[in-house]
Amino acid sequence: MKNQTKLKKELGLYNVYALATGTTLSAGFFLLPGIAVKEAGPAVILCYMLAAIPMVPAMFSMIELATAMPKAGGAYYFLDRSLGPLLGTIGGFGTWLALVLKTSFALIGMGAYVHLLTAEQHLFELEIDDKWLAVIFAIAFCALNMGGAKGAAKFQIILVNGLLAILVVFMTGVTKVDTANLSGFFDAGASSLLATAGMVYISYVGVTNVASVAEEVKDPERNLPLGVILALSTAVAIYGIGTLVMVGVLGAEEMSDIHSEAYKTPVAAAARAIWGEIGVIAVSLAAIFAFSSVVNAGILSASRYPLAMSRDHLLPKTFSSLSKKGLPIAGILITVSLIIALVLSLNVKEIAKLASAFQLLMFALLCLAVVIMRESHIPSYDPGYKSPLYPWMQITGMATSLLLIANMGLMPLLFSAGLIFAGAAWYRWYARKHVVRYGAIFHVFERLGRKRYEGLDAELRGIMKEKGLRDEDPFDDIVARAQVIDVQPGQNFDEVARMAAKLLDDRVPATPEHLLDGFLRDNRIGATPVADGAALPHLRLPRLEHPELVIARAKSGMPIHVSDSFGDETIPDQDVFAIFFLISPEDNPGQHLRILAQIAGRIDDETFMPEWLAAETDQQLKETVLREERFFSLELLPHGKSAELIGRRLATLDWPDRCLIALVRREDNTFVPTANSTLQAGDRITIIGDPKAISELYQRYH
């Protein structure tokens, strides 16, 4: 295998939605309503609505953590980086096992519905029991996942589309509801209603599992929040309307009879009552789609936990290797092997119920993780989506999760205690001697006078580099407005920093002496090289309205001693050829670090330094830093397509929104034009804007 380190970003918004939805609509819809009606009567409809409420804090907390740290491993990674590797190990093993158990349970349910569809409907006879049928399906889904996340996600979309199409038709059965079946709605009492809500709560927990594949999501700051929120909204609507159809058509008394079809397979019973045998066939197909989507998403999600833990040296390095396709083959194989072993040897249904308590404990800890990350005040903790109503949302999430655990009985508590003990034992026996890392909680301790762990800040900065800029970040505008210094041979960093401070004097609310002191003092944020040959001195100032940048180029090189702000290494003195002096508003540290990360990412590109050193003008120098998809240059020629621009004032140009002429090179002078600037023949202009507008203008003039 080729030893790659990063998973491919192949999952879009609908992939996220399909994965989150597919892991939510399974046993909770097709098997659980009969059991729940026996406890709460017709009020089971309300129970499903109430059960979604404590899921909301966990969902918002997971989204915030996933957009700040979109890495493989989901809950494990978040707990490790916030609360430390001991709790990360416990959370990683426990959540992985809970996912494996839920997937195993879904395989058994899938086998049962396949038998229902084939034998009862007289299609053909399968002479194989549910367990071995589940093993066959497990191997098939293993092969699918070995083909890549993109293929598995596409199949997930097919499954979820099929499932939702059938369920939408099923919900039209609301027109057949007999309101008499809803009489005595609250007869079971408030205590039964709340207890049943706690029981069906587990129906929603799959919605957050998509966080474990966050590293493979394109534009995670948009697609993760939107996909997960839409998935939970879909699940609540389907559970609410679906249970109304079941209870309204069948009645609570029939659904409570443990020997009836309405108790064992309430969806099929309701479909039979409304549409006859064709309805049973349709919902049986829907159930197979549902359980298949749980299995597919479960293997995809669970297999990323061994990968993430191995990257952090909590498991042997075998699990951190990726195939040529960028897949965690070892993680997929160990996950599916364990699923098959559990299916063949244990009563998976009962153990899956026991694992619910552990999942609730993980949700409580994830809410705590958000509190720890926020209160650590780490500048590079920069979630693209922040949980609303902080910290009350998280406090509510912790309280409701612990309350539900307390009411689940002794066996789930003992099972959770066993998982905690096993995880702690593994950490003590194997992981502790391989790990030198602490969580964000040490940054909270530092505020109380105790030590902090600097490596986490560096790691989060590296993640920011991977995530890139947000749409509102004025990166291209900053680069276009930047002032340029041409460093002469023999000049040192102090002299160049002094020149930069003077150039910034009339742009920032600080004296040149203050700026120079900030660039040079020992306890500064730092003059920070992010790659060989480049350095990034940077400061944040109060009362500054927008970021400012000074670019310096030293063609012959200039020695400088700095540290690596986007990694964890100290770099010895070296020659640098590019220096970027960045000043940003003090009240927006996230944007400041994102701009630094964008520059760092450009410097990492192997094409940067040759283009940087070869640039002949200030305009070309800035273009080496601009994002390729967000700018292009155009020379105004009398006989070309650009001739129509000659003699025009910028204010009169009929161009797409969100694009502008940022720089004009006229003879030997480069300047930033105004709305009243008039374009002339021979001008070389640099146009910046969003990718769609840039593409439109490029096609118009090239």
Side-chain angles (χ1 to χ4, degrees), residues 314-356:
L314 299 179
L315 287 176
K317 63 180 181 180
T318 301
F319 295 103
S320 63
S321 296
L322 301 180
S323 70
K324 292 181 179 179
K325 292 183 178 180
L327 299 173
I329 299 297
I332 294 172
L333 291 176
I334 191 66
T335 297
V336 175
S337 297
L338 182 58
I339 288 171
I340 292 173
L342 290 173
V343 165
L344 292 177
S345 61
L346 298 175
N347 185 335
V348 175
K349 181 177 179 180
E350 294 304 318
I351 296 177
K353 291 180 181 178
L354 295 179
S356 300

Side-chain angles (χ1 to χ4, degrees), residues 487-543:
V487 179
Q488 301 303 310
Q491 287 185 312
N492 58 36
F493 177 76
D494 288 11
E495 293 174 295
V496 176
R498 185 172 289 105
M499 294 168 65
K502 288 182 179 179
L503 288 174
L504 290 165
D505 182 29
D506 61 347
R507 294 192 177 191
V508 302
T511 65
E513 292 75 20
H514 178 77
L515 295 177
L516 181 62
D517 180 62
F519 290 142
L520 300 179
R521 67 181 184 271
D522 290 339
N523 65 342
R524 64 188 182 276
I525 294 176
T528 311
V530 293
D532 289 344
L536 277 171
H538 52 103
L539 295 171
R540 289 188 291 122
L541 295 177
R543 305 187 309 279

Side-chain angles (χ1 to χ4, degrees), residues 14 281 422 554 632:
Y14 200 71
I281 294 174
F632 79 97

Side-chain angles (χ1 to χ4, degrees), residues 143-207:
L144 177 64
N145 275 266
M146 297 274 271
K150 188 174 183 180
K154 283 183 177 179
F155 187 63
Q156 184 75 6
I157 288 176
I158 295 172
L159 293 173
V160 170
N161 285 345
L163 169 63
L164 292 179
I166 295 173
L167 291 184
V168 166
V169 174
F170 177 79
M171 289 188 294
T172 63
V174 73
T175 59
K176 304 295 184 180
V177 167
D178 183 353
T179 55
N181 287 330
L182 303 178
S183 61
F185 196 84
F186 293 107
D187 287 355
S191 59
S192 292
L193 191 149
L194 291 174
T196 306
M199 178 176 67
V200 301
Y201 170 80
I202 200 65
S203 303
Y204 294 105
V205 299
V207 77

Side-chain angles (χ1 to χ4, degrees), residues 475-476 478-487 493 496-501 503-504 515 518-520 524-540 547-554 558 560 562-563 565-566 576-584 592-605 607-613 615 618-627:
F475 177 78
D476 299 298
I478 294 167
V479 173
R481 290 188 295 103
Q483 301 185 75
V484 178
I485 298 173
D486 192 11
V487 179
F493 177 76
V496 176
R498 185 172 289 105
M499 294 168 65
L503 288 174
L504 290 165
L515 295 177
F519 290 142
L520 300 179
R524 64 188 182 276
I525 294 176
T528 311
V530 293
D532 289 344
L536 277 171
H538 52 103
L539 295 171
R540 289 188 291 122
E548 296 288 350
L549 181 68
V550 172
I551 298 173
R553 178 174 63 170
M558 181 180 67
I560 187 173
V562 281
S563 60
S565 183
F566 286 87
V576 295
F577 303 89
I579 309 173
F580 298 87
F581 295 90
L582 177 66
I583 312 291
S584 297
H592 177 73
L593 291 174
R594 290 194 298 273
I595 293 171
L596 285 173
Q598 176 64 29
I599 297 173
R602 179 65 184 103
I603 293 168
D604 283 344
D605 192 316
T607 65
F608 169 75
M609 194 55 70
E611 292 176 3
W612 174 265
L613 295 176
D618 292 355
Q619 184 184 36
Q620 292 177 359
L621 200 66
K622 294 176 181 181
E623 288 175 355
T624 65
V625 185
L626 292 172
R627 291 173 286 179

Side-chain angles (χ1 to χ4, degrees), residues 175-379:
T175 59
K176 304 295 184 180
V177 167
D178 183 353
T179 55
N181 287 330
L182 303 178
S183 61
F185 196 84
F186 293 107
D187 287 355
S191 59
S192 292
L193 191 149
L194 291 174
T196 306
M199 178 176 67
V200 301
Y201 170 80
I202 200 65
S203 303
Y204 294 105
V205 299
V207 77
T208 61
N209 291 340
V210 72
S212 65
V213 296
E215 187 174 333
E216 296 160 89
V217 175
K218 295 179 285 189
D219 193 7
E221 294 193 346
R222 171 185 178 270
N223 292 334
L224 280 172
L226 194 55
V228 172
I229 291 172
L230 287 174
L232 182 61
S233 301
T234 300
V236 170
I238 288 175
Y239 277 122
I241 300 173
T243 51
L244 173 61
V245 172
M246 291 180 233
V247 175
V249 170
L250 299 173
E253 184 176 350
E254 183 179 349
M255 290 183 69
S256 300
D257 182 359
I258 62 174
H259 300 295
S260 69
E261 180 188 34
Y263 178 84
K264 297 175 182 177
T265 54
V267 183
R272 189 190 303 276
I274 300 172
W275 295 288
E277 293 302 309
I278 190 67
V280 178
I281 294 174
V283 298
S284 296
L285 281 173
I288 292 171
F289 287 149
F291 286 118
S292 297
S293 67
V294 170
V295 173
N296 185 50
I299 293 174
L300 182 64
S301 300
S303 61
R304 272 54 180 176
Y305 280 85
L307 167 68
M309 295 177 71
S310 178
R311 282 175 170 177
D312 291 338
H313 312 293
L314 299 179
L315 287 176
K317 63 180 181 180
T318 301
F319 295 103
S320 63
S321 296
L322 301 180
S323 70
K324 292 181 179 179
K325 292 183 178 180
L327 299 173
I329 299 297
I332 294 172
L333 291 176
I334 191 66
T335 297
V336 175
S337 297
L338 182 58
I339 288 171
I340 292 173
L342 290 173
V343 165
L344 292 177
S345 61
L346 298 175
N347 185 335
V348 175
K349 181 177 179 180
E350 294 304 318
I351 296 177
K353 291 180 181 178
L354 295 179
S356 300
F358 188 85
Q359 287 187 308
L360 286 169
L361 177 61
M362 290 300 100
F363 285 153
L365 289 176
L366 287 170
C367 290
L368 176 61
V370 170
V371 176
I372 294 297
M373 294 304 297
R374 292 237 196 152
E375 297 306 314
S376 67
H377 293 180
I378 302 174

